[in-house]
Amino acid sequence: LLDAHFLAWLEGREDDPAAGGAPRREALAALLAASLHDAGVPADLLRCYWYTSQRDAAVVAGQILRPVLPKQAEGDASLGSAMARDLLQRARNHACVHVLIAADDDRLLPALDEAQLHGLQVHLVADDSVADLDQLARSDPSWATLLRQADRRVVVRGFAQPAASVELLDDAAVDASVQ
């Protein structure tokens, strides 16, 4: 479940979340799929759900476009509601075992918790700031709370380069990297 705006921020392109279109989205899917295998997660990337409020006509195999309303005002929950609905539907139907979420909206917490109670393993995409969750909690408490709820945090390094890699960190690895 991929929030296009969050991924644009992670890539340093928050001024134009739709830039790159299909080629960028294809590369992202390949990166995430390879990263799951590299991290030893016994799962294949089945499909991506791409949530965006931007006009996006790109057609990418294995990606489902989920248009959401543009953020009208602070507190608008359109994207979060769409992601939560899809997450809970997968959990309740036992449609998969692993879900990778790229979002920083702490309003996803109740849905994430319920999905985990249904046995779903939920992994969240993050940047290097996850290595020090205590510091992150001081600068962005809502995102730190969301990241702490995840079964694993997927750290994306060198996102924009072709040779970028993603690494899954469990709690022990994060704690060890902080010490």
Side-chain angles (χ1 to χ4, degrees):
L1 307 178
L2 310 174
D3 172 352
H5 187 75
F6 173 76
L7 288 170
W9 169 81
L10 200 60
E11 289 179 287
R13 297 180 307 94
E14 53 193 317
D15 57 328
D16 189 4
R24 188 180 63 77
R25 287 178 34 202
E26 286 172 359
L28 175 64
L31 172 64
L32 294 175
S35 300
L36 289 172
H37 290 283
D38 291 348
V41 175
D44 292 321
L45 186 66
L46 181 60
R47 77 181 50 89
C48 296
Y49 290 83
W50 186 258
Y51 300 84
T52 183
S53 60
Q54 303 287 321
R55 182 174 168 84
D56 193 334
V59 177
V60 179
Q63 291 187 17
I64 309 298
L65 181 65
R66 291 283 201 243
V68 294
L69 295 173
K71 189 172 186 173
Q72 301 296 323
E74 194 60 37
D76 182 13
S78 175
L79 185 134
S81 295
M83 290 182 88
R85 182 182 57 247
D86 286 348
L87 175 63
L88 292 175
Q89 188 172 22
R90 269 133 205 83
R92 290 174 182 147
N93 292 324
H94 305 286
C96 55
V97 175
H98 299 272
V99 170
L100 180 62
I101 298 176
D104 63 349
D105 188 340
D106 67 333
R107 292 175 290 196
L108 289 170
L109 274 168
L112 202 146
D113 189 47
E114 185 176 337
Q116 289 170 317
L117 289 171
H118 278 86
L120 200 58
Q121 293 184 42
V122 181
H123 315 294
L124 289 172
V125 171
D127 63 1
D128 286 327
S129 65
V130 74
D132 188 350
L133 280 175
D134 290 334
Q135 173 59 36
L136 183 61
R138 288 188 288 278
S139 63
D140 193 344
S142 61
W143 193 32
T145 301
L146 184 66
L147 288 167
R148 283 190 167 129
Q149 180 71 33
D151 291 297
R152 294 187 187 187
R153 283 143 299 280
V154 179
V155 177
V156 179
R157 293 187 178 96
F159 201 92
Q161 289 95 30
S165 65
V166 173
E167 169 185 342
L168 286 181
L169 296 177
D170 59 18
D171 290 330
V174 170
D175 291 343
S177 70
V178 172
Q179 295 176 351

